[in-house]
Amino acid sequence: MRASLLQIAVDLDESVDSRRARVASLVRGQRGVDLVVLPELWPVGAFSFESFAEEAEAVAVSEAVAVDGPVHGPTYEAMSAAARDARVWLHAGSVVERTADGRLFNTSLVISPAGELVRTYRKIHRFGFDKGEATLMDAGEELVTVALPPTPRGPGTTLGLATCYDLRFPELFRGLTDAGAEVLVVPAGWPARRRAHWSLLTRARAVENQTYVLACATAGTHAGVEQSGHSVVVDPWGEVLAEAGTGEEVLTVELDLANVARTRERFPVLRDRRLGLAAPGTTA
């Protein structure tokens, strides 16, 4: 499988509409790639908290969902057209979703080569402790995987979806692995001051789950927060296959999907897990 990570620079001097159009053009430029991945909250900026409500968009997670207004917001519409034109599977990063009852979520969109919204993932772990995203947005409650069909280049695979701060919670990724994920996709708006943690955690999640990790971050500085950049592709053994710098950049990597099964067979650590043990001092 050929995958491209689009590390987008978020500059608040650029309008959201202009950035959507620019990113759509970048996606269209990935024709011939199987999977394209965008960062977290790239339309508005992950730390632009004051803009969340203003830039929130409708996202209909199924045809049965009724919203007051457009079924889908402008980011989905732009990315749907771009994915359809490029004939790629597109993880369109995440947007600020506003539900029919007015709640906000940090919601990722997965779009098929036909331009259809296949799955969404609402970020489970919100960053900020007692401010920012943690107070402005509701938490998702569902682990999400997406089955990708075979391509002329190779077999299909299953994506496991997570977002940014989720990286710090290994139990989420183990749940995705148990659900069949072979490729973990992590869009992020990670701050530069904690880039060492980004590097460590992306490799750790790959090693402990014996999966590929595609972690796509933003570049630039917005809302006074310098972004880490350094989007990265890690293989199931924890080797970094490709890593971006700090500016806007496209990483394109060939993934040998059979390497997941080979790694798990040759080093079968997952089968040695012992789950459900009683805590010390208690009885089962």
Side-chain angles (χ1 to χ4, degrees):
M1 183 176 75
R2 183 177 298 161
S4 288
L5 278 59
L6 276 55
Q7 180 169 287
I8 303 301
V10 178
D11 182 346
L12 298 187
D13 290 333
E14 178 185 36
S15 73
V16 174
D17 286 342
S18 294
R19 188 155 48 252
R20 283 194 194 101
R22 183 169 63 81
V23 172
S25 180
L26 289 172
V27 171
R28 287 185 172 93
Q30 302 308 306
R31 191 174 182 90
V33 169
D34 301 306
L35 173 66
V36 177
V37 182
L38 297 175
E40 177 189 26
L41 295 177
W42 59 268
V44 62
F47 287 87
S48 299
F49 307 131
E50 71 285 350
S51 299
F52 283 1
E54 178 184 355
E55 297 295 343
E57 308 182 32
V59 177
V61 296
S62 75
E63 293 181 358
V65 175
V67 294
D68 186 13
V71 173
H72 294 295
T75 299
Y76 166 74
E77 296 295 347
M79 295 303 104
S80 170
R84 187 170 60 249
D85 290 346
R87 302 300 300 171
V88 297
W89 281 90
L90 174 62
H91 185 308
S94 68
V95 300
V96 181
E97 176 194 2
R98 186 191 300 279
T99 63
D101 60 5
R103 292 180 297 159
L104 301 183
F105 290 90
N106 186 339
T107 301
S108 294
L109 314 176
V110 178
I111 300 170
S112 77
E116 299 171 343
L117 182 62
V118 174
R119 289 302 305 270
T120 62
Y121 165 66
R122 289 171 170 168
K123 186 178 181 182
I124 292 174
H125 300 98
R126 300 157 299 161
F127 179 69
F129 307 111
D130 58 354
K131 59 184 179 181
E133 180 187 39
T135 60
L136 297 172
M137 292 183 169
D138 280 36
E141 297 181 347
E142 180 186 5
L143 295 180
V144 176
T145 61
V146 181
L148 299 192
T151 73
R153 265 184 287 274
T157 192
T158 298
L159 309 181
L161 307 188
T163 305
C164 200
Y165 188 48
D166 282 336
L167 268 176
R168 296 185 180 274
F169 301 89
E171 59 273 23
L172 183 152
F173 293 86
R174 185 50 53 84
L176 292 171
T177 299
D178 286 344
E182 297 179 325
V183 179
L184 301 170
V185 183
V186 188
W190 200 274
R193 61 181 173 270
R194 289 187 290 276
R195 185 170 70 80
H197 290 187
W198 168 257
S199 177
L200 173 66
L201 293 170
T202 52
R203 293 187 68 196
R205 299 297 84 89
V207 169
E208 68 195 7
N209 294 294
Q210 298 181 310
T211 58
Y212 284 100
V213 169
L214 310 183
C216 186
T218 47
T221 298
H222 65 266
V225 180
E226 182 184 357
Q227 299 296 286
S228 68
H230 287 271
S231 298
V232 65
V233 178
V234 188
D235 78 4
W237 195 247
E239 298 294 329
V240 173
L241 301 182
E243 184 173 359
T246 58
E248 186 159 297
E249 188 172 340
V250 176
L251 289 183
T252 301
V253 179
E254 296 280 351
L255 305 182
D256 176 7
L257 296 175
N259 193 29
V260 175
R262 277 199 308 270
T263 301
R264 292 174 178 178
E265 180 180 355
R266 294 173 181 174
F267 197 73
V269 62
L270 292 174
R271 76 179 188 190
D272 287 339
R273 288 184 295 158
R274 299 183 67 205
L275 303 180
L277 299 181
T282 65
T283 57

